[in-house]
Amino acid sequence: MFGGFGISTDGLNIALLADLGGGDTLWLKADEETRSLFEAVGCRPFMYKAKGKAMKLNYYSAPEDAMESPQLMAQWARLSLACALKSRAAKAVRARPVASPVTKRGSSTSKAVPSAPARPKASRPEAAAARPRAPRKSRSG
């Protein structure tokens, strides 16, 4: 995408490793709620140019002190994971299909009737009775 690497877990993108002109940088996933935390410690937003326009992604550079401390980085990584989980949950809610009512035609008063999902055809009971069954084993032997 921008000549870098994506870091993901369970299909969730939580970080990027990319050089936007200042050397390889670790960019952590953020959102509206966490943006101020990243900005408070001096992190830069992930910005690039596309077709002459400045574009911004919901990623911020990792805090400098966290780059040298596994304990501090773990906190920021968990924060990024939480952002990715919220983003996936929001997308799932938006992606749920809304059942649209189906109007019956040919009646003088059109009524909205919810459409029912298609059901598989049931097998004929007489055909099932005609099939030979294997003898069942008892639990005792």
Side-chain angles (χ1 to χ4, degrees):
M1 186 154 87
F2 357 86
F5 298 92
I7 300 171
S8 62
T9 181
D10 194 28
L12 296 169
N13 294 325
I14 60 170
L16 303 170
L17 182 62
D19 182 354
L20 298 180
D24 285 337
T25 303
L26 179 63
W27 304 91
L28 300 172
K29 180 104 172 141
D31 61 15
E32 291 295 322
E33 294 176 20
T34 61
R35 176 181 296 151
S36 60
L37 297 173
F38 283 97
E39 290 172 350
V41 293
C43 299
R44 300 178 324 275
F46 186 100
M47 295 184 72
Y48 65 100
K49 287 198 176 205
K51 298 181 183 178
K53 290 185 178 182
M55 305 297 285
K56 185 176 176 183
L57 295 180
N58 283 332
Y59 289 86
Y60 277 79
S61 59
E64 291 297 323
D65 58 345
M67 294 300 293
E68 301 298 324
S69 169
Q71 293 80 17
L72 288 176
M73 184 56 76
Q75 294 172 5
W76 288 98
R78 285 188 195 99
L79 186 68
S80 292
L81 177 59
C83 291
L85 288 167
K86 282 191 286 186
S87 177
R88 178 167 66 183
K91 287 177 186 175
V93 168
R94 287 191 305 261
R96 287 188 186 145
V98 177
S100 60
V102 176
T103 306
K104 284 186 178 180
R105 294 180 188 220
S107 64
S108 59
T109 58
S110 295
K111 295 180 182 178
V113 178
S115 59
R119 292 185 177 189
K121 292 184 179 182
S123 63
R124 297 180 315 192
E126 63 274 7
R131 283 188 228 134
R133 291 189 174 178
R136 297 179 97 185
K137 292 183 181 179
S138 67
R139 290 186 184 189
S140 61

